[in-house]
Amino acid sequence: MKKKIKDILKRGAIQVNGSLWIEGNGTHFFGPGPAELLEGIEDTGSINQAARKMNMSYKKAWEIVNRLNDKTVNPVVITAAGGKKGGGSTISEDAKQMIAYHRLLRERFRKFLEQETLRLK
Amino acid sequence: MKKKIKDILKRGAIQVNGSLWIEGNGTHFFGPGPAELLEGIEDTGSINQAARKMNMSYKKAWEIVNRLNDKTVNPVVITAAGGKKGGGSTISEDAKQMIAYHRLLRERFRKFLEQETLRLK
């Protein structure tokens, strides 16, 4: 009879953990960071402000937005050039769908990790 | 009717990917790297040689071994001090069980990622 993994490991706060992202042709373009950035843009109407909230550089935020727009059929972040409000950005309906999808994906992943952690108890 | 995520993303080699590890009190102590190192020690009978095969420093390899031994009831790597063969290391039966467990864990994770990737097609 083989030993179970839970009898090999010490008792304690042991858990299976991980990270998850979506990639296209090897480029990570979506995950917790980009999802949070999209939510921030929705809330603030500004890539700059959304980035600041996350302690992220404006450059990094733009890279994330460009990678997202590059992998989606229609742009997920729409930036108004100039105008009375001097620009500002909004997210598309598609972006809102992606945020909703990401929440469900994370929930399924959380359950997977929870099940795997239970095996260790 | 809401748009499906697969209609939002461009066609192409899009996949859900991720990483997975086991942690105890917040310290990552087991995952693909440590599993490969244990296998290397089993094959070569030496932490040093196992590390070299992975382009890993001896210091890093020892850190991994110490973290593992710290989280397990019995040491998983046993190092003989001196003797005719001048030391050398072996892995315990528990270590072999951990390698086997890790293979199954990775297989379940691979299936999870595969299912999630299928949702995007």
Side-chain angles (χ1 to χ4, degrees):
Chain A
M1 184 67 183
K2 286 187 174 177
K3 242 192 217 177
K4 285 184 179 165
I5 191 78
K6 71 184 177 76
D7 297 320
I8 291 171
L9 300 175
K10 278 184 191 158
R11 295 277 174 270
I14 284 181
Q15 60 176 324
V16 180
N17 208 344
S19 65
L20 208 65
W21 60 83
I22 296 162
E23 57 184 49
N25 298 316
T27 304
H28 302 200
F29 70 93
F30 197 54
E36 192 183 337
L37 184 67
L38 288 180
E39 286 177 318
I41 296 169
E42 188 181 16
D43 288 346
T44 63
S46 151
I47 294 177
N48 206 359
Q49 282 183 52
R52 211 179 302 146
K53 270 174 72 175
M54 293 173 72
N55 285 319
M56 183 185 277
S57 71
Y58 191 55
K59 184 172 173 287
K60 175 92 190 286
W62 263 104
E63 280 167 8
I64 288 174
V65 166
N66 286 335
R67 271 202 297 270
L68 275 168
N69 282 342
D70 186 52
K71 296 292 182 197
T72 47
V73 178
N74 300 303
V76 287
V77 176
I78 299 125
T79 300
K84 271 189 185 164
K85 290 171 78 185
S89 297
T90 54
I91 67 171
S92 67
E93 279 305 312
D94 283 3
K96 290 174 194 170
Q97 280 297 108
M98 283 182 73
I99 292 169
Y101 156 76
H102 188 255
R103 253 184 226 133
L104 296 173
L105 171 68
R106 294 301 303 184
E107 180 57 21
R108 291 190 292 266
F109 188 44
R110 193 191 62 71
K111 278 185 187 148
F112 174 85
L113 295 174
E114 194 174 81
Q115 276 178 349
E116 290 298 338
T117 296
L118 277 175
R119 288 176 189 264
L120 304 181
K121 306 284 176 190
Chain B
M1 182 70 181
K2 286 185 175 178
K3 241 193 220 178
K4 284 183 180 166
I5 190 79
K6 72 183 176 80
D7 297 321
I8 291 171
L9 300 176
K10 278 183 192 159
R11 294 277 174 269
I14 284 182
Q15 60 175 324
V16 180
N17 208 345
S19 66
L20 208 66
W21 60 84
I22 297 163
E23 57 184 50
N25 298 317
T27 304
H28 302 201
F29 70 93
F30 197 52
E36 192 182 339
L37 183 67
L38 287 180
E39 287 177 318
I41 296 169
E42 188 181 17
D43 288 347
T44 63
S46 152
I47 295 176
N48 206 358
Q49 282 183 51
R52 211 180 301 145
K53 270 174 72 175
M54 293 174 71
N55 285 319
M56 183 186 276
S57 71
Y58 191 56
K59 185 173 172 287
K60 174 91 190 286
W62 263 104
E63 281 167 8
I64 288 173
V65 166
N66 286 335
R67 271 201 297 270
L68 275 167
N69 282 342
D70 187 53
K71 296 293 182 196
T72 47
V73 177
N74 300 304
V76 287
V77 175
I78 298 125
T79 299
K84 272 190 187 164
K85 290 172 76 186
S89 297
T90 52
I91 67 171
S92 66
E93 279 305 313
D94 283 4
K96 290 174 195 171
Q97 279 297 106
M98 284 181 72
I99 292 169
Y101 156 77
H102 188 256
R103 253 183 226 135
L104 296 173
L105 171 68
R106 295 301 304 185
E107 180 56 22
R108 291 189 292 267
F109 188 43
R110 194 193 59 73
K111 278 185 188 149
F112 173 85
L113 294 174
E114 194 175 81
Q115 276 178 350
E116 289 298 340
T117 296
L118 277 175
R119 289 176 189 264
L120 304 181
K121 306 286 175 187

